[in-house]
Amino acid sequence: MSLGEVPRTFFTADTHFGDPRVLRIDRRPFASVADHDAALKRAWNDSVGPNDTVWHLGDVLRPQAGSCADLLASLNGRKHLIVGNNDPAGTVEAEGWDSVQAYAELTLDGQLLILCHYAFRTWNQMGRRSINLHGHSHGRLKSVTRQFDVGVDAQGLRPVTLQEILARAAARTRRMGATSAPTKF
């Protein structure tokens, strides 16, 4: 990290490293699982620096794909896991996670974030403008105010920052013909 560079925080989910099903079911644009995995690793490491933090909101890799510890060692950043439905003991217990939990609340840039693998219908402090970040749905859920799918299928196959998520949401609101009043998430 260069002098004065501030570590950033990223979010991702549903990488499904080593899982051939995502090529078919999610129509990820790769000829093979090896191409898929190499592209996701490259996108991760091109986005995330060694001193950045990544919250992975579940479904990291297929158990038969190899060692989760080896995978984590090949990816930049300090990594936290929010456990997904496809994360077996080998993933949850792997060396390389700074923390592992099913749910987390995090305040980032003054914004309360509610993190879970699953999208919520309601969440803590929803009425006070908190934001729910989730995975699991592979970009297929209809958007809900202040709720965002951070899975790779919804985020250009790479981890994203809160600022990127909010900027995309604001741009989408403008495209949909919202009033000229600023959008506050």
Side-chain angles (χ1 to χ4, degrees):
M1 177 160 74
S2 358
L3 189 59
E5 188 177 323
V6 176
R8 298 166 300 163
T9 300
F10 290 84
F11 302 91
T12 194
D14 303 308
T15 48
H16 290 278
F17 285 103
D19 192 342
R21 297 174 303 164
V22 295
L23 302 181
R24 184 182 74 259
I25 296 169
D26 298 313
R27 296 187 177 124
R28 293 189 186 168
F30 303 100
S32 69
V33 173
D35 291 347
H36 168 268
D37 291 359
L40 262 61
K41 285 179 188 179
R42 188 172 43 257
W44 179 305
N45 289 331
D46 286 349
S47 299
V48 177
N51 296 310
D52 292 333
T53 297
V54 179
W55 286 87
H56 194 302
L57 305 190
D59 290 0
V60 179
L61 84 154
R62 187 172 191 210
Q64 300 86 341
S67 162
C68 186
D70 291 345
L71 171 67
L72 294 174
S74 73
L75 299 171
N76 286 341
R78 297 178 55 226
K79 295 163 275 297
H80 299 270
L81 175 64
I82 301 293
V83 180
N85 59 305
N86 288 304
D87 291 321
T91 295
V92 172
E93 298 165 1
E95 243 181 77
W97 297 116
D98 280 23
S99 71
V100 175
Q101 56 269 308
Y103 170 95
E105 294 186 7
L106 170 71
T107 300
L108 182 63
D109 300 333
Q111 178 66 63
L112 177 62
L113 305 175
I114 309 302
L115 311 178
C116 189
H117 180 63
Y118 307 101
F120 292 132
R121 180 98 182 256
T122 65
W123 56 88
N124 188 31
Q125 296 193 34
M126 182 179 183
R128 295 179 185 230
R129 309 196 76 70
S130 65
I131 292 174
N132 172 222
L133 301 181
H134 67 89
H136 189 64
S137 62
H138 294 260
R140 293 188 183 114
L141 285 183
K142 181 181 177 193
S143 293
V144 173
T145 302
R146 294 186 316 280
Q147 182 178 62
F148 303 99
D149 182 346
V150 298
V152 295
D153 297 295
Q155 301 295 336
L157 301 173
R158 66 181 192 82
V160 291
T161 65
L162 179 61
Q163 294 79 10
E164 290 173 300
I165 294 165
L166 296 178
R168 275 195 202 140
R172 185 174 52 244
T173 300
R174 284 190 301 275
R175 279 193 313 273
M176 294 174 74
T179 65
S180 59
T183 303
K184 185 164 186 166
F185 293 97

